[in-house]
Amino acid sequence: MKLPKGIAYRPIATWSVILCVASVACGWVVAQGLYPLMLACVPLMVLAVWRILHIYGNSIRRVTFMFDAIENDDLSFRFNEDPSKVDNTMLNVALNRIKEILSQTKARAEERERYYQLIMESAQTGLITLNDTGSVYQANGEALRIFGVSQLHHVRQLEHSLPEVSRALATIRPGDKLRVSCTTESGDMALMLGCSKIMLEKRPRRVISVSDINNELNEIQVESWNKLSRILTHEIMNSLAPITSLSDTLLHMDRALEPDLERGLETISATSRRLMTFVEGYRRFTRIPAPQREPFEVRELVRQAVVLTAAEEDALRIHVDIEPAETMIYADKAQLGQVMVNLLKNAREAIAGRHDGEIEIRSRIDAAEHVIIEISNNGGAIPAEVTENIFTPFYTTKPDGSGIGLSLSRRIMQLHGGSLRLSCNTDRRVTFTLQIE
């Protein structure tokens, strides 16, 4: 960036020397009384002053242009540094140097901003930055997912879908912690909100963290059940195996057994086998394979589930509404088919014996482009004491039930990144809702 000596100051230095010489000459002419010579000195002085002012004006205009460009966030300019074409080349070099420093600073700031944005998007907690009037400056993907929106510009956007959350976001202040319960298309949520204060552009901003406590509790619960189930299956199978083997061996001995002894051994063998069958239910719950995803249509999934469950279809009214009709999902077809079969079996059992029994299967796409499938029946509300435990593994009210159908179905949906919930429970309508990513 250095210029050769004599180039940087040559124009203004030259005209400054000319002005000085002309001024001295004018003074000498006046002192000698040679007034006619003033006709030569004065124009030269005027020309020198004009050239100096012209160079100064050009310099001011360049500096002003640079500040205007910086104010408009435009750093694409560059001044000519060719001394043969412009005056005061050193100023142009200095201005270009300032521009390069600002460009580097801007690039580093943008790089830091991308870094912080990546951290914000990678967070498992929703983060929102907003001012005191409720305008949202930034919201990460997790916050948008929790609220079920694609964009968020103001907290008033949530007044219709999540009024409790909208009020909480508007009223929470730095240092506060609020717990908000709400219901969305993805299920019931218990949100924990925390607030901090930060100054941006000399203005106060609130940074609010949003966590879905229900999801965290569900994950902990599932992991706890998995650990417990693995321990139980291991211990029970180790105990049952020798009992079953010994009882079968004694029953198939060549010599005849006393009737009471034979009945006792048969009872032991049958009981052991029933227990082993029950333990296999534990294993199925804890050893669900990773989903093998493939694309397929929702109507094909529904059709197969109906065929497998509606053995008495003539007496059973099933209404199917899929909108749009060609809705595609990308998931494990066998696993989702098992979920649909479990839900349809439960719906059939709920309306058994009712002449007006109906089952409705409805599919649609929500605003976040998730596929929502609802399986409804009019078999009467599920008792409150049962709804609290319907997704608890091995909990059942059926005499011959295993209690793993709904818990297994929910686990499958979680492995797909979706959800299964009881979305409606009234005497006129009971609905289970699947959300598929």
Side-chain angles (χ1 to χ4, degrees), residues 61-76:
R61 280 191 292 274
R62 291 175 214 170
V63 173
T64 303
F65 174 83
M66 183 191 71
F67 285 133
D68 289 342
I70 293 173
E71 188 176 10
N72 293 311
D73 199 23
D74 179 11
L75 298 178
S76 61

Side-chain angles (χ1 to χ4, degrees), residues 121-230:
E121 289 298 329
S122 300
Q124 299 301 311
T125 300
L127 297 173
I128 307 172
T129 304
L130 65 162
N131 63 10
D132 290 336
T133 64
S135 296
V136 177
Y137 289 85
Q138 197 171 25
N140 69 350
E142 180 64 12
L144 298 179
R145 185 197 66 79
I146 291 174
F147 298 146
V149 296
S150 57
Q151 290 183 333
L152 185 61
H153 302 293
H154 199 282
V155 296
R156 283 196 298 268
Q157 287 179 238
L158 304 174
E159 285 181 350
H160 178 68
S161 58
L162 299 170
E164 305 90 346
V165 175
S166 178
R167 288 192 295 268
L169 291 176
T171 58
I172 191 171
R173 288 295 176 262
D176 293 348
K177 286 188 178 295
L178 299 178
R179 179 169 179 172
V180 181
S181 299
C182 57
T183 301
T184 67
E185 292 181 342
S186 60
D188 297 330
M189 294 192 300
L191 302 180
M192 180 62 72
L193 276 61
C195 183
S196 301
K197 182 179 179 181
I198 190 173
M199 296 296 293
L200 290 176
E201 299 176 356
K202 298 182 180 180
R203 295 181 180 179
R205 299 285 186 267
R206 288 178 294 153
V207 179
I208 300 176
S209 61
V210 185
S211 301
D212 185 357
I213 302 175
N214 277 357
N215 276 346
E216 296 176 3
L217 292 178
N218 285 339
E219 291 178 3
I220 295 173
Q221 183 185 48
V222 168
E223 181 60 26
S224 299
W225 277 112
N226 284 342
K227 290 180 179 178
L228 176 61
S229 298
R230 284 193 292 268

Side-chain angles (χ1 to χ4, degrees), residues 9 39 41 56 60 90 115 148 154 157 159 164 176 182 217 236 244 265 267 288 314 336-337 367 379 402 411:
Y9 298 98
L39 297 175
C41 295
Y56 174 76
I60 294 298
M90 189 185 74
Y115 172 70
H154 199 282
Q157 287 179 238
E159 285 181 350
E164 305 90 346
D176 293 348
C182 57
L217 292 178
I236 293 174
T244 305
L265 291 173
T267 301
I288 303 173
D314 292 339
L336 252 63
S402 64
R411 182 57 179 156

Side-chain angles (χ1 to χ4, degrees), residues 185 323-324 327-328 363-372:
E185 292 181 342
E323 181 62 34
T327 302
M328 298 286 294
S363 173
R364 57 190 172 82
I365 299 176
D366 65 8
E369 298 188 353
H370 298 145
V371 177
I372 306 296

Side-chain angles (χ1 to χ4, degrees), residues 44-96:
L44 188 61
M45 289 177 59
V46 172
L47 178 61
V49 170
W50 179 82
R51 285 297 296 162
I52 291 173
L53 291 176
H54 178 72
I55 294 172
Y56 174 76
N58 279 343
S59 300
I60 294 298
R61 280 191 292 274
R62 291 175 214 170
V63 173
T64 303
F65 174 83
M66 183 191 71
F67 285 133
D68 289 342
I70 293 173
E71 188 176 10
N72 293 311
D73 199 23
D74 179 11
L75 298 178
S76 61
F77 65 88
R78 184 171 182 81
F79 296 105
N80 195 338
E81 298 179 4
D82 187 351
S84 64
K85 296 181 180 179
V86 294
D87 296 328
N88 202 351
T89 308
M90 189 185 74
L91 176 63
N92 288 5
V93 172
L95 296 180
N96 288 337

Side-chain angles (χ1 to χ4, degrees), residues 272-343:
S272 299
R273 293 186 184 282
R274 283 197 300 271
L275 285 172
M276 292 183 72
T277 300
F278 181 72
V279 171
E280 285 301 320
Y282 277 75
R283 286 185 169 177
R284 286 200 305 273
F285 180 74
T286 59
R287 297 181 181 180
I288 303 173
Q292 302 298 312
R293 298 176 183 265
E294 60 177 318
F296 56 90
E297 292 187 350
V298 171
R299 60 184 176 185
E300 178 63 18
L301 175 72
V302 173
R303 187 192 67 79
Q304 291 182 1
V306 169
V307 169
L308 289 172
T309 58
E312 302 174 2
E313 194 166 359
D314 292 339
L316 182 66
R317 285 175 288 179
I318 298 180
H319 302 280
V320 179
D321 179 18
I322 300 175
E323 181 62 34
E326 295 79 17
T327 302
M328 298 286 294
I329 53 179
Y330 186 68
D332 189 309
K333 189 175 182 180
Q335 290 186 358
L336 252 63
Q338 182 62 52
V339 173
M340 289 294 297
V341 167
N342 289 341
L343 295 176

